[in-house]
Amino acid sequence: MRVRARVESLERRAGLRGPCPACGGAGDPAVVLVEEGAPEPTPRGCARCGRVSCVKRIVLGKEDR
């Protein structure tokens, strides 16, 4: 086996090349709580690669009575 092929095989198994081994490249959903009028924080998805599949925003506002 050539050195290049061995290195590529090791990189694939370590998750350095190809899809993320934790999420399979799809990412994880993120939930973001936002107060009304405040800047929106950056969503966090997969713990390993950081990829986000979808974002669910929950806006916390003042209740008018």
Side-chain angles (χ1 to χ4, degrees):
M1 184 182 263
R2 294 184 192 158
V3 174
R4 181 176 178 180
R6 293 177 86 178
V7 170
E8 287 178 358
S9 175
L10 288 171
E11 287 177 344
R12 243 188 333 270
R13 280 188 258 158
L16 300 175
R17 296 182 78 182
C20 172
C23 67
D28 288 339
V31 177
V32 178
L33 294 174
V34 181
E35 289 188 38
E36 193 172 2
E40 188 170 318
T42 305
R44 297 187 56 169
C46 177
R48 184 169 176 142
C49 68
R51 183 176 239 165
V52 178
S53 63
C54 66
V55 177
K56 182 176 189 177
R57 289 177 183 87
I58 300 175
V59 180
L60 305 172
K62 295 180 183 178
E63 186 175 312
D64 294 329
R65 287 190 179 196

